[in-house]
Amino acid sequence: MSEQDHYFTARPASPDERRLLRVLLAGREVEVETAGGIFSPDHVDLGTRVLLDHVPDPPGEGDLLDLGCGWGPIALTLALRSPSARVWAVDVNERSLDLTRRNAERLGLPNVRAVRPDEVPDEVRLAALWSNPPIRVGKPALHAMLTRWLGRLAPGAEAHLVVGKNLGADSLQRWIAAELGRSVERTASVKGFRVLAVRDR
């Protein structure tokens, strides 16, 4: 991946060479399609794995959101665990969205909607949000993103975020509490990653 070709680029310049990968999602070994130019194309990255291993079961119904979906490990897990829910997989990277759509189809998950941020209807209120957020976009963009999406949680709903300790997990936890007025609890700390549960006070 070139310096200009970040995973949060809308149209990656790197070759779109597809390959198959076997991974464990929702307790099942599945085969997914992946490619370069996206976040963690070769495996389920450690932060995402920590998140998936330490979140409670998602709601069985309603609108669930994976913010920054990559090739789809979080969205696919949500859909596998909650087949009656509608899962929004959001990313700015067109290749990520295409891969998530193809992987949902490959796994027989018609409840996944892989879309750009502005394609989630305004009236949607989230029953849950799971995310390994793109910390490297920088604080202003990250804070704007979290303000937008945490503000769309339905009353009583929870968000679960995974953030590396060395990437500012503790300061982000304080910022969410102070600036967004939400309760933030660290529910796990594993291999340098914090899992933060965010809810109404």
Side-chain angles (χ1 to χ4, degrees):
M1 194 183 295
S2 72
E3 285 186 22
Q4 291 77 30
D5 193 12
H6 298 289
Y7 58 83
F8 42 85
T9 298
R11 290 181 175 81
S14 58
D16 190 1
E17 297 173 354
R18 304 295 173 100
R19 53 191 180 274
L20 295 178
L21 189 68
R22 294 197 72 79
V23 295
L24 190 68
L25 298 177
R28 294 169 44 181
E29 188 176 274
V30 297
E31 190 172 70
V32 297
E33 187 176 325
T34 183
I38 66 168
F39 177 64
S40 191
D42 300 318
H43 60 288
V44 178
D45 70 285
L46 181 56
T48 296
R49 176 56 62 198
V50 168
L51 177 73
L52 295 177
D53 287 347
H54 292 87
V55 286
D57 288 336
E61 297 179 333
D63 288 287
L64 315 179
L65 182 80
D66 169 12
L67 180 58
C69 63
W71 55 260
I74 293 173
L76 298 172
T77 298
L78 286 166
L80 286 165
R81 290 191 181 179
S82 298
S84 296
R86 181 167 56 169
V87 177
W88 298 94
V90 169
D91 210 298
V92 298
N93 185 315
E94 298 285 353
R95 189 175 297 171
S96 291
L97 295 175
D98 181 61
L99 286 164
T100 298
R101 291 183 196 113
R102 292 170 67 92
N103 287 329
E105 185 176 352
R106 175 182 289 274
L107 300 184
L109 299 170
N111 56 329
V112 174
R113 308 280 185 275
V115 297
R116 294 187 297 273
D118 289 340
E119 294 176 313
V120 179
D122 290 341
E123 67 272 12
V124 167
R125 289 296 171 264
L126 305 172
L129 184 161
W130 291 5
S131 181
N132 182 352
I135 299 297
R136 296 182 192 279
V137 299
K139 278 187 179 180
L142 177 69
H143 289 174
M145 185 184 308
L146 292 177
T147 299
R148 174 182 184 177
W149 293 104
L150 291 174
R152 295 183 67 170
L153 288 170
E158 289 187 352
H160 289 86
L161 313 174
V162 65
V163 183
K165 181 183 177 185
N166 65 342
L167 292 176
D170 296 342
S171 63
L172 185 65
Q173 179 176 355
R174 291 190 294 271
W175 179 84
I176 292 171
E179 297 300 322
L180 301 185
R182 291 186 176 264
S183 166
V184 192
E185 178 188 0
R186 185 195 306 163
T187 57
S189 184
V190 181
K191 296 180 179 176
F193 287 92
R194 312 280 211 219
V195 177
L196 305 178
V198 184
R199 58 182 72 89
D200 291 331
R201 288 196 186 279

